[in-house]
Amino acid sequence: MNDITLALDVMGGDFGPRVTIPAIAKALTQKSNLSFLLFGDENQITPLLQKYSLLNHPKIQLHHTEQVIDSDIPFSKAIRQSKNSSMRLAIEAVKEGKALGCISGGNTGALMGLAKLLIEPLPNIERPALTSLIPTTNGKSSVMLDLGANIEVSNYQLQQFAEMGNLFAQVMLDLVYPRLSLLNIGTEENKGKAQLQAVHQLLKHRQDINYIGFIESDKLTNNLTDVIICDGFTGNIALKALEGAAKNLLSLFKKEKADFNICRNTKRYLLKLIFYRYYRKLQEINPDRHNGATLLGLSKVIVKSHGGANANAFYYAIDYAVQQIQSDIPNKILQGLNQSYTK
Amino acid sequence: MNDITLALDVMGGDFGPRVTIPAIAKALTQKSNLSFLLFGDENQITPLLQKYSLLNHPKIQLHHTEQVIDSDIPFSKAIRQSKNSSMRLAIEAVKEGKALGCISGGNTGALMGLAKLLIEPLPNIERPALTSLIPTTNGKSSVMLDLGANIEVSNYQLQQFAEMGNLFAQVMLDLVYPRLSLLNIGTEENKGKAQLQAVHQLLKHRQDINYIGFIESDKLTNNLTDVIICDGFTGNIALKALEGAAKNLLSLFKKEKADFNICRNTKRYLLKLIFYRYYRKLQEINPDRHNGATLLGLSKVIVKSHGGANANAFYYAIDYAVQQIQSDIPNKILQGLNQSYTK
């Protein structure tokens, strides 16, 4: 395995270094080929590096930054605020070739804006799209895009999302002919938005992709399709609804677990065994394991972690970046698109 | 309690009379003040009435219809097909005052179209909105609208949804000053769709309602707000994503229950006790209990059941209609709207 250096916006996300540093500690333990360039406030970071025995670690370089982009400001303001910010410097490290990919849990608008400003998009790509793998009930994953980068999109852009999603699924899910679907509020041809009906017709007649029609949002995790295509507003609404439902159900059960841990009776061991069966099932569908959205369509790997991610979830965002770098996703998409454009 | 006669499209939904007849049987047992006018194919219905001991029941009148509106045809075609259909005749019974409300699990577009065609909208209401109560993790409910009646809406229509939702929550949730929120992909003022930002400003400055800002779809079931307002496309995407996640998680656990039921060992009784605790928790958030969406803004109560509803869920759709009729929802909304228009 080749060595991979990643640039990290240590300050991004709701919890900053308290989440990102333990995630790095886990990544360094799990993957021996990783190195990190860290960008953030050394006063906050150093004690945490110490806590996780990472101070002066040979695979960590810390670059002190004082500026952090607020999570709740509009893009235009964020850009003015971005100079010397942890997020911008992390992206610049990728641009300058010092790192192969960047991970941030910070302001999504700023990350996407800066990434588009600093990192070259692939030729012919009009809009990069936030892309994730979502878990399905049979233990597999589906690709979903766009998850929030583009609130409104043109018919042409939706088709590009389909092409990019197709190539992403081929590589990341190891599929020869991934099934593609447009997210809509009905499966019949006449249902839903006029734009979706139009793009449905365009995709249906293409021979180079395996478009299988509309999918509704209650089937997102049923693995009825491999790539779910939508505009960024719709994708964000659908994915967060899914995440919210999963989190709420998990929290009900975690509460049960806490209750259980303090209960004392003679059958405790047995109870634990029973509980474990349920808990393991919940772990399988834990959204933490699918944290990380990539800005597909750029020439480099830029990964957005969920702002509220915990250390475990942030670790999976790092892992998501590593997988894409190892699979050389940007180049695969470039080659794939070129093929389809010369058809 | 006053007597209530309901008109039922027995043929609507994926399973037609196999679901609607047992639901009626349950409703008649639970509520002594109900009578039903049934519309559908007597050849299919009679054996089921017999099965559930409802043949010649004094509170059931069966009207034979041969026509059924297909679930997958566009509205314009459905209207041509609708003459003498079970759905249309059920709605006409309400229009003619023979029934106080109508329930159907059939083609949503046709139901909404026919209801708008046949049932007078309330004065000043531009567009009725599909409205449901959604379960929240603290055991309460929130009102959500629109869930699919209007794919695209104007700023003015979104404000009307807010007003109607406000009045609906006052009555159905027994709240004095319900909290209202717009569904968006961020909670900051500058986030999401331009239309939502504009309506946010309009609602924020109104004194007569308790608008508290944007809500994201991962918080839909957290009871952070009482009324969730959105266009019908967004609402349908969000609600179905929620339903799908809940159903998928429930099915994982129901599978466990089946496994469990066939396991035999000496500790079986204890296992059953443990399982019961978990199962009861799942029942509380079972989406069946919240089946039923009403077309709010009409002068009569028209309820859409989920097409895939089982008998238990369809019973809850009947119950939802009964609650609205007993609370005199259309009249309450009429009075409430008049008040706010004269301000």
Side-chain angles (χ1 to χ4, degrees):
Chain A
M1 263 189 309
N2 293 332
D3 284 351
I4 294 175
T5 301
L6 296 170
L8 240 104
D9 168 13
V10 183
M11 309 309 284
D14 300 348
F15 312 107
R18 280 182 295 149
V19 149
T20 50
I21 299 298
I24 292 164
K26 183 174 177 184
L28 285 169
T29 316
Q30 302 279 318
K31 295 170 196 295
S32 58
N33 63 332
L34 294 190
S35 302
F36 288 95
L37 305 180
L38 308 187
F39 297 87
D41 178 357
E42 62 184 9
N43 297 324
Q44 289 182 55
I45 294 172
T46 307
L48 284 156
L49 288 177
Q50 206 147 20
K51 181 177 170 187
Y52 290 96
S53 311
L54 297 175
L55 210 55
N56 303 318
H57 192 287
K59 296 201 162 180
I60 292 181
Q61 261 186 55
L62 173 57
H63 298 259
H64 175 64
T65 63
E66 287 183 358
Q67 193 74 34
V68 177
I69 299 176
D70 298 334
S71 65
D72 56 354
I73 54 171
F75 172 61
S76 57
K77 212 170 153 189
I79 291 297
R80 285 196 299 276
Q81 212 182 66
S82 73
K83 205 187 160 196
N84 293 323
S85 68
S86 55
M87 183 193 286
R88 181 168 188 142
L89 292 176
I91 299 172
E92 281 178 349
V94 177
K95 176 194 164 86
E96 292 158 8
K98 294 176 189 160
L100 290 172
C102 159
I103 300 111
S104 170
N107 184 319
T108 311
L111 182 69
M112 291 184 296
L114 285 171
K116 281 176 69 178
L117 198 71
L118 301 170
I119 307 291
E120 224 173 330
L122 294 171
N124 293 323
I125 292 292
E126 281 198 7
R127 299 270 195 95
L130 261 185
T131 309
S132 272
L133 296 176
I134 63 167
T136 63
T137 47
N138 62 353
K140 300 189 175 180
S141 300
S142 296
V143 172
M144 186 166 170
L145 75 167
D146 174 21
L147 297 172
N150 307 284
I151 288 172
E152 279 170 23
V153 294
S154 68
N155 294 4
Y156 178 71
Q157 286 156 5
L158 272 179
Q159 287 182 82
Q160 285 208 325
F161 294 174
E163 290 176 17
M164 291 198 293
N166 184 46
L167 294 161
F168 194 73
Q170 285 175 3
V171 178
M172 296 289 281
L173 304 180
D174 197 20
L175 297 170
V176 177
Y177 205 43
R179 299 160 297 171
L180 311 185
S181 301
L182 283 168
L183 180 58
N184 198 358
I185 63 168
T187 52
E188 299 85 26
E189 292 207 328
N190 55 64
K191 286 284 175 77
K193 283 193 179 170
Q195 176 176 51
L196 293 172
Q197 293 169 17
V199 177
H200 170 81
Q201 291 302 328
L202 293 167
L203 294 178
K204 208 174 80 169
H205 291 103
R206 284 180 58 164
Q207 303 297 322
D208 58 329
I209 55 172
N210 181 18
Y211 173 72
I212 60 169
F214 293 136
I215 190 164
E216 291 187 88
S217 57
D218 56 346
K219 303 289 192 305
L220 288 176
T221 56
N222 290 27
N223 205 233
L224 299 178
T225 191
D226 301 304
V227 183
I228 298 147
I229 304 143
C230 51
D231 66 73
F233 185 87
T234 306
N236 195 285
I237 290 282
L239 188 70
K240 282 197 181 142
L242 211 66
E243 283 175 359
K247 279 233 184 272
N248 279 339
L249 284 166
L250 284 169
S251 72
L252 282 178
F253 283 90
K254 281 181 180 155
K255 192 181 162 299
E256 282 288 306
K257 187 178 176 237
D259 289 352
F260 168 74
N261 278 340
I262 54 167
C263 93
R264 300 192 176 279
N265 69 46
T266 53
K267 303 289 189 294
R268 186 167 172 174
Y269 177 72
L270 183 66
L271 292 174
K272 219 160 201 164
L273 270 182
I274 305 306
F275 183 82
Y276 182 69
R277 254 179 99 183
Y278 292 93
Y279 196 68
R280 209 181 35 187
K281 274 206 168 283
L282 288 168
Q283 291 291 52
E284 280 168 23
I285 41 170
N286 193 329
D288 285 355
R289 296 175 70 98
H290 284 75
N291 181 39
T294 198
L295 259 172
L296 210 57
L298 296 180
S299 56
K300 306 280 181 182
V301 173
I302 308 289
V303 166
K304 167 77 174 80
S305 160
H306 199 290
N310 59 28
N312 199 42
F314 198 85
Y315 163 77
Y316 284 108
I318 294 173
D319 187 50
Y320 188 54
V322 171
Q323 282 181 52
Q324 291 177 63
I325 292 166
Q326 280 174 340
S327 311
D328 200 10
I329 286 284
N331 207 29
K332 293 258 167 60
I333 289 192
L334 176 63
Q335 290 167 2
L337 285 186
N338 278 344
Q339 280 171 18
S340 72
Y341 279 114
T342 53
K343 263 182 189 138
Chain B
M1 261 189 312
N2 293 331
D3 285 351
I4 292 174
T5 302
L6 296 170
L8 239 105
D9 169 14
V10 183
M11 309 309 285
D14 300 347
F15 312 107
R18 281 181 293 148
V19 150
T20 51
I21 299 299
I24 291 164
K26 182 173 177 184
L28 286 169
T29 316
Q30 303 279 316
K31 294 170 197 293
S32 59
N33 63 332
L34 294 189
S35 302
F36 288 95
L37 304 181
L38 307 189
F39 297 88
D41 179 359
E42 62 184 10
N43 298 324
Q44 290 182 55
I45 293 173
T46 308
L48 284 156
L49 287 178
Q50 205 147 21
K51 182 176 170 188
Y52 291 95
S53 311
L54 297 175
L55 210 54
N56 304 317
H57 192 286
K59 297 203 161 179
I60 291 182
Q61 263 186 54
L62 174 56
H63 298 259
H64 175 64
T65 62
E66 287 184 357
Q67 192 74 36
V68 176
I69 299 176
D70 298 334
S71 65
D72 55 353
I73 56 171
F75 172 62
S76 57
K77 212 170 155 190
I79 291 297
R80 286 197 297 276
Q81 211 181 66
S82 73
K83 206 185 159 196
N84 293 322
S85 68
S86 55
M87 184 194 284
R88 183 170 188 141
L89 292 175
I91 299 172
E92 281 177 349
V94 177
K95 175 195 166 87
E96 293 158 7
K98 295 176 187 161
L100 289 173
C102 159
I103 301 111
S104 171
N107 184 318
T108 311
L111 183 69
M112 292 185 294
L114 286 170
K116 282 176 69 179
L117 198 69
L118 300 170
I119 308 290
E120 224 173 331
L122 294 170
N124 293 323
I125 291 294
E126 280 198 7
R127 300 271 194 92
L130 260 186
T131 309
S132 272
L133 297 176
I134 62 167
T136 62
T137 46
N138 61 354
K140 300 189 175 179
S141 299
S142 295
V143 172
M144 187 164 170
L145 75 169
D146 175 20
L147 297 172
N150 309 282
I151 288 171
E152 279 169 25
V153 294
S154 69
N155 293 4
Y156 178 71
Q157 286 157 4
L158 272 179
Q159 286 182 83
Q160 285 208 325
F161 294 173
E163 289 176 16
M164 292 198 293
N166 184 47
L167 294 160
F168 194 75
Q170 285 175 4
V171 178
M172 297 289 282
L173 305 180
D174 197 21
L175 298 170
V176 177
Y177 204 42
R179 299 161 296 171
L180 311 184
S181 301
L182 284 168
L183 180 57
N184 197 359
I185 62 168
T187 53
E188 298 86 25
E189 293 207 326
N190 56 64
K191 286 283 175 77
K193 283 192 180 173
Q195 175 176 52
L196 293 171
Q197 292 170 16
V199 177
H200 169 81
Q201 291 302 328
L202 295 168
L203 294 177
K204 208 173 78 169
H205 292 102
R206 285 181 57 164
Q207 303 297 319
D208 58 328
I209 54 171
N210 182 18
Y211 174 71
I212 60 169
F214 293 136
I215 190 164
E216 290 186 88
S217 58
D218 56 346
K219 302 290 191 306
L220 288 176
T221 56
N222 290 29
N223 205 233
L224 298 178
T225 190
D226 301 304
V227 183
I228 298 146
I229 304 143
C230 51
D231 66 73
F233 184 87
T234 305
N236 194 285
I237 289 282
L239 188 70
K240 282 198 182 141
L242 211 65
E243 284 176 359
K247 278 233 184 273
N248 278 339
L249 285 167
L250 284 170
S251 71
L252 283 178
F253 283 90
K254 281 181 182 155
K255 192 180 162 300
E256 282 288 305
K257 188 179 176 234
D259 290 351
F260 168 73
N261 277 340
I262 53 166
C263 92
R264 300 192 177 278
N265 68 47
T266 52
K267 302 287 189 296
R268 186 167 172 174
Y269 176 73
L270 183 67
L271 291 175
K272 218 160 204 166
L273 271 183
I274 305 306
F275 182 82
Y276 183 69
R277 255 180 99 183
Y278 291 94
Y279 197 66
R280 210 179 37 189
K281 276 207 167 282
L282 288 169
Q283 291 291 52
E284 280 168 25
I285 42 170
N286 192 328
D288 285 355
R289 296 175 71 97
H290 284 75
N291 181 37
T294 198
L295 258 173
L296 210 57
L298 297 179
S299 57
K300 307 280 182 184
V301 173
I302 307 289
V303 166
K304 167 76 174 80
S305 160
H306 199 287
N310 59 28
N312 199 41
F314 198 85
Y315 163 77
Y316 283 109
I318 294 173
D319 187 51
Y320 188 54
V322 171
Q323 282 181 53
Q324 291 178 63
I325 293 166
Q326 281 175 340
S327 311
D328 200 11
I329 286 284
N331 206 29
K332 293 259 168 60
I333 288 191
L334 177 62
Q335 289 168 3
L337 284 185
N338 279 344
Q339 279 172 18
S340 73
Y341 279 115
T342 54
K343 260 178 192 141

